Amino acid sequence: MMVKIGTSVYEAAEILKNGGLVGIPTETVYGLAGNALDSNTILSIFETKNRPKFDPLIVHTYSLEKAVEYADIHPKLINLAEKFWPGPLTILASKKSIIPDLISSGLPQMALRVPNNGLTLELLRLLEFPLAAPSANPFGYISPTQAQHVEDQLGDKIPYILDGGSCHVGIESTIVGIENDTLTIYRTGGLSVEEIEGFYNEKVVINTHSSSDPLAPGMLKKHYSPNKTVKILPNNYIIDTSTNRVGVMMFSDVHPQIANDFNVVLSHSKSLMEASQSLFSALRELDAMDIDTIYLQLVPNVGLGRAINDRITRAAAED
Ligand code: TXA
Ligand code: MG
Protein backbone atom coordinates (compact mmCIF):
# COMPACT_ATOMS: atom_id res chain seq x y z
CA MET A 1 0.00 0.00 0.00
CA MET A 2 1.28 3.47 -0.87
CA VAL A 3 0.33 6.10 1.66
CA LYS A 4 -0.87 9.49 0.53
CA ILE A 5 -0.23 12.59 2.65
CA GLY A 6 -2.77 15.38 2.12
CA THR A 7 -5.15 17.88 3.69
CA SER A 8 -8.50 16.62 2.35
CA VAL A 9 -10.94 15.80 5.16
CA TYR A 10 -13.30 14.40 2.48
CA GLU A 11 -10.74 11.89 1.27
CA ALA A 12 -10.00 10.92 4.88
CA ALA A 13 -13.74 10.58 5.62
CA GLU A 14 -14.33 8.27 2.64
CA ILE A 15 -11.60 5.89 3.80
CA LEU A 16 -12.92 5.90 7.38
CA LYS A 17 -16.53 5.27 6.24
CA ASN A 18 -15.26 2.19 4.42
CA GLY A 19 -13.63 0.82 7.57
CA GLY A 20 -10.09 1.96 6.73
CA LEU A 21 -7.52 3.69 8.92
CA VAL A 22 -6.20 7.25 8.59
CA GLY A 23 -3.36 9.09 10.35
CA ILE A 24 -4.87 12.21 11.95
CA PRO A 25 -3.30 15.32 13.46
CA THR A 26 -4.12 16.45 16.97
CA GLU A 27 -2.52 19.12 19.15
CA THR A 28 -0.77 16.40 21.21
CA VAL A 29 0.51 13.70 18.83
CA TYR A 30 -0.73 12.13 15.56
CA GLY A 31 -3.34 9.42 15.98
CA LEU A 32 -4.05 6.23 14.04
CA ALA A 33 -7.81 6.63 13.58
CA GLY A 34 -10.66 4.29 12.73
CA ASN A 35 -14.41 3.88 13.31
CA ALA A 36 -14.81 3.40 17.07
CA LEU A 37 -18.18 1.64 16.65
CA ASP A 38 -16.84 -1.11 14.41
CA SER A 39 -15.07 -4.08 16.03
CA ASN A 40 -13.25 -5.15 12.87
CA THR A 41 -11.79 -1.68 12.40
CA ILE A 42 -10.74 -1.58 16.05
CA LEU A 43 -9.01 -4.94 15.63
CA SER A 44 -7.11 -3.60 12.65
CA ILE A 45 -5.89 -0.63 14.72
CA PHE A 46 -4.40 -3.01 17.28
CA GLU A 47 -2.82 -5.09 14.51
CA THR A 48 -1.41 -2.15 12.56
CA LYS A 49 0.31 -0.81 15.70
CA ASN A 50 1.29 -4.25 16.92
CA ARG A 51 -0.39 -3.27 20.18
CA PRO A 52 -1.46 -5.78 22.84
CA LYS A 53 -5.24 -5.98 23.29
CA PHE A 54 -4.96 -5.22 27.01
CA ASP A 55 -3.93 -1.61 26.24
CA PRO A 56 -7.24 0.28 25.65
CA LEU A 57 -7.92 3.02 23.07
CA ILE A 58 -9.12 6.62 23.42
CA VAL A 59 -12.34 7.58 21.61
CA HIS A 60 -12.37 11.03 19.97
CA THR A 61 -15.47 13.17 19.37
CA TYR A 62 -15.97 16.77 18.22
CA SER A 63 -17.88 17.88 21.32
CA LEU A 64 -18.82 17.07 24.89
CA GLU A 65 -22.47 16.70 23.74
CA LYS A 66 -21.33 13.92 21.40
CA ALA A 67 -19.16 12.31 24.09
CA VAL A 68 -22.14 11.85 26.43
CA GLU A 69 -23.82 9.72 23.75
CA TYR A 70 -21.11 7.13 24.34
CA ALA A 71 -20.48 7.25 28.09
CA ASP A 72 -21.94 8.28 31.45
CA ILE A 73 -19.56 10.98 32.64
CA HIS A 74 -19.17 11.97 36.31
CA PRO A 75 -20.38 15.58 36.92
CA LYS A 76 -16.92 16.64 38.11
CA LEU A 77 -15.39 15.46 34.86
CA ILE A 78 -18.15 17.15 32.86
CA ASN A 79 -17.04 20.44 34.47
CA LEU A 80 -13.43 19.72 33.59
CA ALA A 81 -14.30 18.86 30.00
CA GLU A 82 -16.38 22.03 29.64
CA LYS A 83 -13.36 24.03 30.68
CA PHE A 84 -10.55 22.23 28.81
CA TRP A 85 -12.12 20.65 25.68
CA PRO A 86 -11.11 20.84 22.91
CA GLY A 87 -7.71 20.21 24.46
CA PRO A 88 -5.05 17.80 25.76
CA LEU A 89 -7.38 16.19 28.33
CA THR A 90 -8.72 12.61 28.26
CA ILE A 91 -11.37 11.56 30.74
CA LEU A 92 -12.42 8.10 31.90
CA ALA A 93 -16.16 7.39 32.09
CA SER A 94 -18.61 4.46 32.17
CA LYS A 95 -18.84 3.01 28.70
CA LYS A 96 -22.26 2.66 27.07
CA SER A 97 -22.97 -0.59 25.22
CA ILE A 98 -22.83 1.02 21.74
CA ILE A 99 -19.02 1.13 22.19
CA PRO A 100 -17.43 -2.30 21.56
CA ASP A 101 -15.69 -3.92 24.58
CA LEU A 102 -12.46 -4.13 22.61
CA ILE A 103 -12.07 -0.32 22.86
CA SER A 104 -11.68 -0.44 26.64
CA SER A 105 -9.94 -3.85 26.72
CA GLY A 106 -13.02 -5.18 28.49
CA LEU A 107 -12.92 -2.58 31.29
CA PRO A 108 -16.20 -0.91 32.36
CA GLN A 109 -14.69 2.54 31.82
CA MET A 110 -13.60 4.01 28.49
CA ALA A 111 -11.40 6.98 27.61
CA LEU A 112 -12.78 10.05 25.76
CA ARG A 113 -11.26 13.19 24.30
CA VAL A 114 -12.10 16.18 22.08
CA PRO A 115 -8.83 17.07 20.33
CA ASN A 116 -7.92 20.66 19.50
CA ASN A 117 -7.06 20.51 15.81
CA GLY A 118 -9.13 22.26 13.15
CA LEU A 119 -8.77 19.60 10.45
CA THR A 120 -9.55 16.72 12.77
CA LEU A 121 -12.57 18.49 14.27
CA GLU A 122 -13.85 19.12 10.73
CA LEU A 123 -13.30 15.46 9.89
CA LEU A 124 -15.15 14.29 13.02
CA ARG A 125 -18.12 16.50 12.07
CA LEU A 126 -18.32 14.79 8.67
CA LEU A 127 -18.64 11.36 10.26
CA GLU A 128 -21.58 9.61 11.91
CA PHE A 129 -19.28 7.73 14.25
CA PRO A 130 -16.52 8.71 16.73
CA LEU A 131 -12.87 7.85 16.06
CA ALA A 132 -10.74 5.47 18.09
CA ALA A 133 -7.18 6.74 17.87
CA PRO A 134 -4.07 5.60 19.68
CA SER A 135 -0.83 7.43 18.94
CA ALA A 136 0.26 6.53 15.37
CA ASN A 137 3.50 4.74 16.24
CA PRO A 138 4.41 1.07 16.45
CA PHE A 139 3.71 -0.06 20.04
CA GLY A 140 6.41 1.06 22.48
CA TYR A 141 8.23 3.40 20.06
CA ILE A 142 8.41 7.21 20.05
CA SER A 143 5.08 8.97 19.36
CA PRO A 144 4.73 10.94 16.08
CA THR A 145 4.39 14.73 16.08
CA GLN A 146 4.56 15.27 12.29
CA ALA A 147 2.86 13.58 9.32
CA GLN A 148 6.34 12.53 8.17
CA HIS A 149 6.88 10.55 11.39
CA VAL A 150 3.68 8.60 10.69
CA GLU A 151 4.75 7.91 7.11
CA ASP A 152 8.20 6.74 8.25
CA GLN A 153 6.71 4.03 10.44
CA LEU A 154 3.24 3.14 9.21
CA GLY A 155 3.45 4.38 5.61
CA ASP A 156 3.20 0.89 4.13
CA LYS A 157 0.19 -0.02 6.27
CA ILE A 158 -2.31 2.83 5.87
CA PRO A 159 -3.73 4.62 2.80
CA TYR A 160 -3.88 8.24 4.02
CA ILE A 161 -2.35 10.69 6.48
CA LEU A 162 -4.19 13.95 7.11
CA ASP A 163 -1.42 16.54 7.37
CA GLY A 164 -2.03 19.16 10.06
CA GLY A 165 1.58 20.25 10.43
CA SER A 166 3.60 19.88 13.64
CA CYS A 167 1.68 19.14 16.84
CA HIS A 168 1.85 22.24 19.00
CA VAL A 169 1.63 20.50 22.40
CA GLY A 170 3.86 17.58 21.38
CA ILE A 171 3.13 15.12 24.22
CA GLU A 172 0.02 13.04 24.81
CA SER A 173 -3.09 14.16 26.65
CA THR A 174 -3.44 14.07 30.44
CA ILE A 175 -5.71 11.19 31.50
CA VAL A 176 -8.08 11.93 34.39
CA GLY A 177 -10.66 9.81 36.18
CA ILE A 178 -12.50 9.63 39.49
CA GLU A 179 -11.46 7.17 42.17
CA ASN A 180 -13.28 7.15 45.55
CA ASP A 181 -14.81 10.51 44.60
CA THR A 182 -11.33 12.00 44.13
CA LEU A 183 -9.96 13.36 40.90
CA THR A 184 -7.09 11.07 39.86
CA ILE A 185 -4.49 11.55 37.13
CA TYR A 186 -3.43 8.31 35.43
CA ARG A 187 -1.11 9.82 32.82
CA THR A 188 0.52 13.23 33.05
CA GLY A 189 0.39 15.06 29.73
CA GLY A 190 -0.28 18.27 27.86
CA LEU A 191 -2.65 19.67 30.50
CA SER A 192 -0.62 20.30 33.66
CA VAL A 193 -1.55 19.05 37.12
CA GLU A 194 -1.35 22.68 38.32
CA GLU A 195 -3.99 23.80 35.79
CA ILE A 196 -6.37 21.04 36.91
CA GLU A 197 -5.78 21.76 40.61
CA GLY A 198 -6.23 25.48 39.98
CA PHE A 199 -9.56 24.85 38.27
CA TYR A 200 -10.93 22.80 41.19
CA ASN A 201 -9.04 24.62 43.91
CA GLU A 202 -8.21 21.23 45.41
CA LYS A 203 -5.42 18.66 45.29
CA VAL A 204 -5.67 15.79 42.85
CA VAL A 205 -4.17 12.32 43.27
CA ILE A 206 -1.46 11.32 40.82
CA ASN A 207 -1.47 7.60 40.17
CA THR A 208 0.89 7.09 37.25
CA HIS A 209 3.08 4.41 38.79
CA SER A 210 4.69 2.12 36.26
CA SER A 211 3.60 -1.42 35.91
CA SER A 212 4.28 -4.36 33.67
CA ASP A 213 1.04 -5.92 34.84
CA PRO A 214 -1.30 -6.35 31.89
CA LEU A 215 -4.22 -5.59 34.23
CA ALA A 216 -2.99 -2.02 34.65
CA PRO A 217 -3.47 -0.84 31.08
CA GLY A 218 -1.13 1.59 29.40
CA MET A 219 1.13 2.17 32.33
CA LEU A 220 3.92 -0.03 31.07
CA LYS A 221 7.26 0.94 32.50
CA LYS A 222 9.10 0.92 29.19
CA HIS A 223 7.50 3.09 26.52
CA TYR A 224 8.21 5.96 24.13
CA SER A 225 11.55 4.28 23.43
CA PRO A 226 14.22 4.82 20.81
CA ASN A 227 15.97 1.69 19.51
CA LYS A 228 19.37 2.68 20.93
CA THR A 229 20.50 2.33 24.53
CA VAL A 230 18.93 5.18 26.51
CA LYS A 231 20.15 6.50 29.86
CA ILE A 232 19.24 9.39 32.12
CA LEU A 233 22.01 12.00 32.33
CA PRO A 234 23.43 11.82 35.87
CA ASN A 235 23.15 14.91 38.08
CA ASN A 236 26.92 15.43 37.99
CA TYR A 237 26.72 15.63 34.14
CA ILE A 238 29.59 13.15 33.75
CA ILE A 239 29.35 10.82 30.74
CA ASP A 240 31.77 8.00 29.99
CA THR A 241 32.67 8.57 26.33
CA SER A 242 35.75 6.31 26.27
CA THR A 243 34.06 3.20 24.88
CA ASN A 244 30.86 4.70 23.60
CA ARG A 245 29.65 7.02 20.85
CA VAL A 246 27.23 9.24 22.70
CA GLY A 247 24.45 11.71 21.89
CA VAL A 248 22.68 13.88 24.48
CA MET A 249 19.32 15.56 24.78
CA MET A 250 19.63 18.64 26.98
CA PHE A 251 16.95 20.96 28.38
CA SER A 252 18.50 24.36 27.63
CA ASP A 253 22.33 24.31 27.44
CA VAL A 254 24.64 22.12 25.38
CA HIS A 255 26.61 19.46 27.23
CA PRO A 256 30.22 20.71 27.35
CA GLN A 257 31.76 17.23 26.95
CA ILE A 258 29.86 16.31 23.77
CA ALA A 259 30.40 17.69 20.25
CA ASN A 260 27.68 20.09 19.07
CA ASP A 261 26.44 17.75 16.33
CA PHE A 262 25.50 15.23 19.01
CA ASN A 263 23.89 17.73 21.37
CA VAL A 264 20.14 18.25 20.93
CA VAL A 265 18.75 21.13 23.00
CA LEU A 266 15.00 21.22 23.70
CA SER A 267 14.62 24.92 24.49
CA HIS A 268 17.37 27.51 24.57
CA SER A 269 14.94 29.87 26.31
CA LYS A 270 14.14 27.30 29.05
CA SER A 271 10.48 27.09 28.01
CA LEU A 272 8.77 23.86 29.08
CA MET A 273 6.16 24.40 26.36
CA GLU A 274 8.84 24.53 23.69
CA ALA A 275 10.54 21.53 25.29
CA SER A 276 7.38 19.43 25.11
CA GLN A 277 6.85 20.46 21.47
CA SER A 278 10.31 19.30 20.51
CA LEU A 279 10.71 16.26 22.81
CA PHE A 280 9.66 13.43 20.47
CA SER A 281 11.38 14.95 17.40
CA ALA A 282 14.55 15.25 19.46
CA LEU A 283 14.35 11.57 20.44
CA ARG A 284 13.89 10.59 16.78
CA GLU A 285 16.81 12.77 15.73
CA LEU A 286 19.07 11.12 18.29
CA ASP A 287 17.84 7.65 17.37
CA ALA A 288 18.89 8.31 13.75
CA MET A 289 22.45 9.38 14.68
CA ASP A 290 25.49 7.18 14.27
CA ILE A 291 25.90 6.66 18.02
CA ASP A 292 25.51 3.83 20.56
CA THR A 293 24.03 5.52 23.60
CA ILE A 294 21.62 8.39 24.16
CA TYR A 295 21.69 10.38 27.40
CA LEU A 296 18.56 12.32 28.32
CA GLN A 297 18.58 15.22 30.77
CA LEU A 298 15.52 15.54 33.00
CA VAL A 299 13.81 18.96 32.96
CA PRO A 300 12.45 20.97 35.94
CA ASN A 301 9.68 18.84 37.46
CA VAL A 302 6.87 21.42 37.39
CA GLY A 303 3.99 22.13 34.98
CA LEU A 304 4.55 20.36 31.66
CA GLY A 305 7.94 19.28 33.02
CA ARG A 306 6.28 16.43 34.93
CA ALA A 307 4.90 14.91 31.74
CA ILE A 308 8.19 15.45 29.90
CA ASN A 309 10.09 13.71 32.72
CA ASP A 310 7.56 10.86 32.69
CA ARG A 311 8.28 10.27 28.97
CA ILE A 312 12.06 10.57 29.49
CA THR A 313 11.98 8.10 32.38
CA ARG A 314 9.93 5.56 30.42
CA ALA A 315 12.13 5.98 27.33
CA ALA A 316 15.13 5.09 29.50
CA ALA A 317 13.45 2.22 31.41
CA GLU A 318 14.76 -1.34 31.15
CA ASP A 319 12.32 -3.82 29.61
O1 TXA B 1 -2.98 12.68 23.22
C1 TXA B 1 -3.48 11.55 23.14
O2 TXA B 1 -4.15 11.07 24.07
C2 TXA B 1 -3.24 10.77 21.86
C3 TXA B 1 -4.00 11.45 20.71
C4 TXA B 1 -3.93 10.68 19.43
O3 TXA B 1 -5.32 11.69 21.10
N1 TXA B 1 -3.63 9.40 22.01
C5 TXA B 1 -2.94 8.52 22.80
O4 TXA B 1 -3.41 7.24 22.74
O5 TXA B 1 -1.98 8.84 23.46
P1 TXA B 1 -2.57 5.97 23.20
O6 TXA B 1 -3.36 4.83 22.70
O7 TXA B 1 -1.18 6.08 22.74
O8 TXA B 1 -2.66 5.98 24.76
C6 TXA B 1 -3.92 5.66 25.33
C7 TXA B 1 -3.78 5.37 26.79
C8 TXA B 1 -3.65 3.90 27.11
O9 TXA B 1 -2.34 3.44 27.00
C9 TXA B 1 -4.15 3.87 28.55
O10 TXA B 1 -3.10 4.28 29.41
C10 TXA B 1 -5.18 4.96 28.57
O11 TXA B 1 -4.99 5.74 27.42
N2 TXA B 1 -6.54 4.42 28.53
C11 TXA B 1 -7.36 4.29 27.47
N3 TXA B 1 -8.52 3.75 27.81
C12 TXA B 1 -8.44 3.50 29.14
C13 TXA B 1 -9.33 2.92 30.08
N4 TXA B 1 -10.54 2.47 29.72
N5 TXA B 1 -8.91 2.81 31.36
C14 TXA B 1 -7.69 3.26 31.73
N6 TXA B 1 -6.80 3.81 30.88
C15 TXA B 1 -7.17 3.94 29.61
MG1 MG C 1 0.85 5.85 22.66
Side-chain angles (χ1 to χ4, degrees), residues 11-276:
E11 210 165 325
E14 272 317 300
I15 294 166
L16 291 163
K17 285 175 194 168
N18 289 314
L21 306 185
V22 169
I24 58 161
T26 83
E27 79 281 36
T28 59
V29 300
Y30 274 74
L32 175 65
N35 181 350
L37 304 184
D38 181 56
S39 294
N40 285 325
T41 304
I42 299 166
L43 258 180
S44 74
I45 293 177
F46 280 99
E47 277 161 14
T48 304
K49 264 190 73 106
N50 209 359
R51 178 183 180 113
K53 308 273 191 320
F54 60 72
D55 195 3
L57 306 180
I58 299 172
V59 172
H60 299 69
T61 65
Y62 60 83
S63 69
L64 176 57
E65 289 67 35
K66 265 284 159 201
V68 299
E69 290 180 19
Y70 306 116
D72 291 313
I73 306 175
H74 191 286
K76 259 187 143 164
L77 294 178
I78 296 255
N79 293 339
L80 199 64
E82 278 172 343
K83 168 75 180 172
F84 293 108
W85 277 355
L89 165 73
T90 291
I91 61 175
L92 299 182
S94 298
K95 187 179 86 58
K96 293 188 181 171
S97 57
I98 181 173
I99 299 288
D101 288 338
L102 197 52
I103 285 276
S104 62
S105 304
L107 296 166
Q109 294 208 96
M110 66 179 291
L112 289 150
R113 172 164 119 82
V114 177
N116 189 14
N117 176 280
L119 276 183
T120 289
L121 288 172
E122 210 182 315
L123 172 63
L124 283 163
R125 284 197 188 92
L126 289 176
L127 300 169
E128 276 162 12
F129 47 82
L131 291 174
S135 52
N137 51 290
F139 182 69
Y141 194 67
I142 305 163
S143 302
T145 52
Q146 297 168 21
Q148 184 64 51
H149 297 163
V150 183
E151 179 179 12
D152 290 346
Q153 292 184 303
L154 301 176
D156 56 343
K157 295 188 170 135
I158 58 175
Y160 198 75
I161 302 167
L162 190 59
D163 189 353
S166 290
C167 301
H168 68 262
V169 173
I171 44 176
E172 294 84 352
S173 58
T174 302
I175 301 179
V176 182
I178 302 271
E179 215 170 296
N180 305 322
D181 256 11
T182 308
L183 217 61
T184 306
I185 294 182
Y186 297 97
R187 177 175 75 181
T188 53
L191 180 64
S192 71
V193 176
E194 289 86 342
E195 276 178 282
I196 296 172
E197 288 183 335
F199 176 67
Y200 280 107
N201 204 13
E202 69 182 50
K203 285 272 165 206
V204 303
V205 171
I206 303 176
N207 181 13
T208 56
H209 54 249
S210 307
S211 168
S212 300
D213 178 357
L215 293 177
M219 297 208 261
L220 299 175
K221 204 168 136 226
K222 189 172 175 66
H223 214 107
Y224 313 105
S225 296
N227 295 317
K228 299 205 157 76
T229 303
V230 182
K231 295 188 165 148
I232 306 278
L233 180 70
N235 286 332
N236 65 10
Y237 268 50
I238 295 174
I239 296 176
D240 175 14
T241 52
S242 56
T243 56
N244 243 328
R245 294 170 306 163
V246 170
V248 282
M249 186 185 82
M250 302 294 290
F251 176 43
S252 58
D253 299 304
V254 294
H255 191 293
Q257 224 186 315
I258 305 294
N260 272 347
D261 285 356
F262 300 98
N263 251 292
V264 179
V265 175
L266 292 180
S267 172
H268 290 282
S269 64
K270 297 187 164 59
S271 150
L272 287 168
M273 214 189 269
E274 192 183 12
S276 83

